[in-house]
Amino acid sequence: MLKKFQNDETLAKAVSDQIESLLQKKPDALICIAGGETPLKTMAELVRRNKKGKIDFSKAYFVGLDEWVGLGRETKGSCRQTLYDYFYDQLDNVQPDHICFFDGKASDLDNECKRIDTFIEERGGIDFILLGIGMNGHIGFNEPGVPVDVNAHVVDLDDVTKKVMSKYFDQDLPLTNGISLGMKQIEQAKEIVVAATGAKKAEIIERTIQSEPTTKIPATLLKNAPHTQFFVDQEAGARV
């Protein structure tokens, strides 16, 4: 399902409405919010509502979507830094042990994947996931050609991702791998929102909406999931 919004602020409010409604019904829901630029407005709106007492995150659980292998919270632009600085650390009453995030600097990445998988499994899966969409259609770090039947895993970054990643960092970083939830886990989430804003995302949104599900465009795989919604602003949705 595709929904168009006037701008990124109205889109963020709509996503926040869904999370607010979910937590009213299930206070201990497991929520996953992507890093990057697109979810920042939603994070800000959720923090605003939390400060006003409209959303209570005290019983909620959170799991990270992905991380650049080799980076930790101290690196500006890492997924962990974004989520903690703009969201988790801004919330009132969130429980630190209710947050499970990939450690991109872990010495054993296979165990790191298992740790994340276990956290999700113990909570019966992800209740709500907010995703962005890469310029190549990637979801998290699930790049074109991704296996569809895996959970958390380490991936080789696509050339498009490597080219685009410079916008996130103050310095050139020789990053070649990511660690990410797998498409299997993502597709099994009970509510999925793929958000895209800005004219630069218009082409990939057009390709995603008009293509049959294919691993060449990982975002199209989510069309197989019954509870997927694509949220776009006017610019991102200009070609569909």
Side-chain angles (χ1 to χ4, degrees), residues 61-152:
Y61 288 87
F62 298 95
V63 65
L65 174 64
D66 54 12
E67 185 57 280
W68 308 87
V69 170
L71 299 189
R73 186 177 176 183
E74 71 281 358
T75 303
K76 185 179 184 301
S78 70
C79 301
R80 182 185 285 253
Q81 179 268 323
T82 300
L83 266 296
Y84 273 87
D85 286 4
Y86 290 97
F87 187 52
Y88 302 142
D89 286 349
Q90 304 299 321
L91 298 175
D92 292 334
N93 300 323
V94 69
Q95 306 299 315
D97 61 346
H98 283 203
I99 302 169
C100 187
F101 213 96
F102 285 108
D103 179 3
K105 300 178 79 172
S107 58
D108 189 332
L109 294 177
D110 287 338
N111 275 345
E112 191 66 8
C113 290
K114 291 174 184 175
R115 182 177 69 86
I116 297 289
D117 290 344
T118 299
F119 186 83
I120 293 172
E121 290 164 5
E122 287 177 347
R123 279 147 198 90
I126 298 168
D127 292 292
F128 182 95
I129 187 165
L130 173 61
L131 302 161
I133 179 171
M135 300 297 287
N136 59 0
H138 77 195
I139 294 292
F141 282 134
N142 292 290
E143 304 282 21
V146 63
V148 298
D149 58 347
V150 299
N151 289 326

Side-chain angles (χ1 to χ4, degrees), residues 1-12 14-15 38 130-131 133 193-198 201-206 208-209 229-240:
M1 181 188 299
L2 177 71
K3 290 187 179 182
K4 288 188 182 181
F5 296 87
Q6 188 65 34
N7 51 46
D8 56 357
E9 290 188 0
T10 54
L11 187 158
V15 176
T38 303
L130 173 61
L131 302 161
I133 179 171
V193 173
V194 182
T197 58
K201 293 294 177 69
E203 180 182 355
I204 190 58
I205 285 295
E206 178 187 32
T208 298
I209 297 302
Q229 300 177 90
F230 290 88
F231 281 13
V232 298
D233 66 2
Q234 292 293 326
E235 291 183 337
R239 296 167 63 164
V240 292

Side-chain angles (χ1 to χ4, degrees), residues 20 34-35 40 64 66 89 96 103 113 140 168 191 215 228 238:
E20 181 176 337
L40 288 176
D66 54 12
D89 286 349
D103 179 3
C113 290
Y168 295 112
E191 290 184 72
T215 58
T228 299

